[in-house]
Amino acid sequence: SEMAYVIVQHLHPLHDSMLTELLSRVAKIPINEITDDIHLAPNNIYVIPENKMLTSFDGVLKLSPRQKDTKNQAIDVFFNSLAEVHLDLAYGILLSGNGSDGTLGLKAIKKHGGITFAQDIDAANNEMPQNAINAGVVDYVLSPGQIVEKLIELVKVRDLVTKEDDPNDEDVFQEILKILRHHSGVDFTYYKQTTIRRRIARRMALNKILNLRDYLKVLQGNKLAPEDLFNDLLIPVTEFFRDTKIFQIMREKVFPLLTSRVTEGNSIRIWIAGCSTGEEAYTLAIALHEYLGENLEGKEIQIFAS
């Protein structure tokens, strides 16, 4: 499938993991127990060791110690990091288990344009997958065997759609861009074409469509289909203090410069462009308020957000 598979399981901190050994008896591709800073490679399986937390950063897996006396949210932690880095190339699969871990992580993957799965009612412990299904963050509810088939099908669709060397497909692709422009008023001609094609592939996969021309017919005949594609292209990823390093630099370097240049009686003006639902605007207001402290009094501050 040319995919990398990462398996994160819940274990008691003192329980040794046997999963690598168990999987190696049946798997037809290499099994790797994760070590620090291991690079992901296609057609490999990676297994989390016991008593660890796992994150993904730009194709590298990073381990950290599990904090004592904290709720085990190893799956949410990993899914969230996967979503933020790999966006629509991430596929989240929630299998048998107790509790609610994984639901927030699947929500993050879905929000960033990825595709989500949960094991169906045959799961030995149904609580974890069912919690995600009830939260409305699962695209496909399937048996483990069906999940494998669907993954391979999705990859084939994505590969077909993202190829830019078929002149027939190029005509269809341009027609799709015209429909988007007519529907939304936004011209995606100069948008990153590979990104658009991957988003189209995602919509096709969710609608069980295997042919680009068939998807064009859906866009032409269903008024809601262009809206769904448009929303997928403009993923509203936002949260308070997102990317903490940026706001730290703002406090250390930008705010001192800004406040020193604004003379008495003039207002401090800040504009946040493309801020989705506005969390960045409010975050900047909070950060500036904290920076100024007692010096806030008497200053006029205007924050614009679009």
Side-chain angles (χ1 to χ4, degrees):
S1 67
E2 296 301 308
M3 299 177 84
Y5 301 87
V6 183
I7 300 178
V8 181
Q9 64 171 165
H10 284 169
L11 285 173
H12 187 276
L14 301 177
H15 192 289
D16 289 338
S17 174
M18 299 288 292
L19 192 58
T20 305
E21 185 185 327
L22 291 168
L23 286 173
S24 63
R25 296 174 192 170
V26 293
K28 295 190 172 99
I29 56 175
I31 310 284
N32 309 273
E33 184 163 284
I34 297 164
T35 56
D36 276 322
D37 293 345
I38 193 168
H39 284 259
L40 286 169
N43 305 315
N44 275 260
I45 296 171
Y46 300 88
V47 181
I48 189 172
E50 65 268 9
N51 207 21
K52 295 287 185 181
M53 302 296 277
L54 179 69
T55 53
S56 172
F57 181 76
D58 206 15
V60 178
L61 297 175
K62 291 185 176 290
L63 291 171
S64 59
R66 183 182 160 190
Q67 298 298 310
K68 288 180 181 177
D69 305 321
T70 57
K71 192 177 176 186
N72 191 351
Q73 297 293 114
I75 300 169
D76 277 336
V77 168
F78 178 67
F79 278 174
N80 270 290
S81 71
L82 195 71
E84 287 183 8
V85 175
H86 294 282
L87 305 173
D88 55 347
L89 294 175
Y91 297 78
I93 302 167
L94 206 54
L95 300 172
S96 171
N98 290 321
S100 62
D101 190 16
T103 296
L104 291 175
L106 286 188
K107 183 181 179 182
I109 287 173
K110 200 169 164 65
K111 188 171 81 170
H112 286 74
I115 294 176
T116 58
F117 299 80
Q119 189 172 350
D120 61 12
I121 53 171
D122 291 336
N125 295 307
N126 196 38
E127 199 177 339
M128 213 157 68
Q130 193 59 49
N131 191 74
I133 294 163
N134 293 345
V137 296
V138 178
D139 294 317
Y140 294 101
V141 181
L142 301 165
S143 70
Q146 290 169 325
I147 289 171
V148 174
E149 290 171 13
K150 180 55 70 175
L151 277 173
I152 290 168
E153 181 187 298
L154 292 174
V155 171
K156 283 179 180 173
V157 171
R158 193 190 71 210
D159 289 347
L160 278 171
V161 174
T162 52
K163 280 181 184 172
E164 298 180 34
D165 53 5
D166 187 333
N168 295 324
D169 271 3
E170 183 58 32
D171 291 343
V172 176
F173 181 67
Q174 292 303 323
E175 282 300 314
I176 290 172
L177 293 188
K178 283 180 190 174
I179 289 171
L180 277 171
R181 185 171 185 175
H182 177 74
H183 167 79
S184 65
V186 178
D187 183 2
F188 286 96
T189 307
Y190 301 103
Y191 220 65
K192 195 175 178 185
Q193 301 301 293
T194 50
T195 301
I196 296 176
R197 286 175 179 271
R198 289 211 308 261
R199 297 287 196 269
I200 289 170
R202 181 178 187 275
R203 292 311 317 167
M204 287 171 62
L206 294 176
N207 288 284
K208 301 172 178 60
I209 298 167
L210 301 177
N211 181 285
L212 194 63
R213 199 168 287 279
D214 289 342
Y215 182 59
L216 175 60
K217 289 174 186 173
V218 170
L219 290 171
Q220 290 166 333
N222 182 340
K223 288 181 181 177
L224 295 176
E227 179 72 17
D228 289 338
L229 178 58
F230 179 68
N231 288 334
D232 257 18
L233 285 163
L234 303 178
I235 294 169
V237 178
T238 182
E239 60 190 60
F240 287 100
F241 287 94
R242 182 170 174 241
D243 199 340
T244 50
K245 196 179 281 184
I246 285 176
F247 289 102
Q248 189 181 334
I249 291 167
M250 293 286 284
R251 279 190 289 264
E252 290 172 2
K253 297 187 176 177
V254 179
F255 289 165
L257 201 65
L258 191 65
T259 51
S260 66
R261 285 185 177 181
V262 174
T263 54
E264 197 69 36
N266 285 330
S267 59
I268 295 170
R269 288 179 179 170
I270 298 170
W271 175 37
I272 298 96
C275 70
S276 188
T277 48
E279 275 83 339
E280 285 83 0
Y282 285 96
T283 301
L284 269 173
I286 294 164
L288 191 55
H289 187 285
E290 288 174 346
Y291 170 78
L292 289 169
E294 292 177 0
N295 296 323
L296 182 67
E297 199 171 324
K299 285 192 169 55
E300 184 185 351
I301 297 163
Q302 295 179 319
I303 299 178
F304 303 89
S306 56

